[in-house]
Amino acid sequence: MSDLSKLAASLHLPDEPLRTPMFIDGKDHTGSSAEWVTRKSPGHGVGVTATLRASAGDLDAAVAAARRAFDDGRWSRLSGEQRATVLLKAARLIRDNVETLAYLETLESGKPIGQSRGEVTAAAGIWEYAAGLARVVHGDSHDTLGPDMLGLVLRQPVGVVGIVTPWNFPFFILSERLPFALAAGCTVVVKPAELTSTTTLKLAALLTEAGLPDGVVNVVTGLGSVVGQALAEHMDVDMISFTGSTQVGRAVLAAAGGNMKKVGLELGGKNPQIVFADADLDDAADAIAFGIAFNAGQCCVSGSRLVVHRSVEAELVERIRAVLARVRTGDPLDASNHVGAIVEARQFDKIRGFIDAGTRDGAQLVCGGDTRSEGERFFIQPTVFRNVQPGSALAQDEIFGPVLSVMPFDSFDEAIGLANGVPYGLAASIWTRDLQGAFKSLRDVQAGRIWVNCTITGGPEMPIGGFKQSGIGRETGRYGVEEYTEIKSVHVQLGKRPRWIA
Ligand code: NAD
């Protein structure tokens, strides 16, 4: 990546789209159709990368490579120590290439360059953590089954795993799944989002450099409705790990039924920030502003609903407005900007539609609402609405943009009712100085991740995933590696087996 790393260091746009082919069986793969699709940077409106649109045949080749690599044991039968060595080397290579990977991530996703650097660096830490798990994953034993019987519970790799990822955190989300699947001993076919495939392809090449055997990680690019769907349906894939919208997650769940493959789903959210009257309002205001503006609100755990005690509503909203007034939105390659571009025109129009509907439905616009599409560059100022009706689209739907809906409450039960009154259950933040109140609410709120007096923070030690329609299963933490295992119960007869017919 030496020419590319010079370009990345310069932070200039490429003269022409940077082409990256698919990666199958340890080699670049162009496929028979060789249909290149150009990705325009949503922050600059010019073509920056190009990736291939895979055919069904390309997907079959990738699955066949992963199947061979799993069945012959070149990875699945290595020791945990050997697998950990490769994963640690991969982490080092990611760290060596932070600038290049961050540059590509920003070009394709529109997120600020400083944020991309942070995400790639944090992703390297996840690979290091998962390397440790490769040596820790283990089963169980039962020495209590009587004098003649020993019970063993083995954890074995589930097999060939399909990983489908979204565009909002392409490298980071992949790193929350792939090293755990590899630590467990699985082989993998990755289908990244069509808008943001390049860093996934670059990672596959780095993994080969790290010593990963051919065929263990394969990457196919192209349309979700074609390649993603075919991967979810594929009879030779043993598990599908899907991260994306609840709507597509439902289709993936149905597609996986053909061979009853194991399914992991990390889906949408409509996450509450619950603020009690005794909270530190300055702390909460800063975090709530961050929680809605971070990644331009295109974040599954974005705190998009403010559920606040009526007595402090006006004061808190004013403080949030003041913080947001200092947020700079613009060119994602300019490190001084906090918020970059919206990922594409379709997403931009969707967010604008919610803002227009909010105004029409009688919600009160506190700040923002300013949407700019200059040519093919898409920016939206963080937007806050008060007087949002709990049953309205603003309060119920995942907007996936920087739009905060404020709803007041008068009692504890009303707060919990509002917090839980959506089909999602991904994450929630609770703001209070009262320890008892915090514990009471964290027990009652339905969400896979809860933050008390903080928001959108954590590390690979902690599991992530959703309640209700936010998903099935967990990623990261020790649960993250266990997701990619099958459990096998073994009964070992010691001594003579009692006869059925004496
Ligand atoms: P999406 O559901 O449109 O697409 C996600 C991925 O699925 C893409 O790679 C896409 O190509 C693929 N895909 C599309 N149709 C498919 C099909 N029929 N079969 C298989 N794959 C298919 O989501 P998106 O717009 O890329 O991402 C935004 C969504 O992802 C939001 O809803 C967000 O909340 C969710 N998300 C969830 C998490 C989490 O951890 N819970 C993390 C990030 C994003």
Side-chain angles (χ1 to χ4, degrees), residues 164-168 173 177 191-194 223-225 228-229 242-246 248 251-252 266-269 300 398 400 426:
V164 179
T165 55
W167 45 257
N168 58 341
I173 284 179
R177 286 131 183 87
K191 207 303 279 177
E194 42 275 59
L223 290 174
S225 54
Q229 178 78 24
F242 171 83
T243 308
S245 61
T246 293
V248 177
V252 166
E266 301 280 339
L267 308 175
C300 56
E398 185 187 48
F400 226 52
L426 194 60

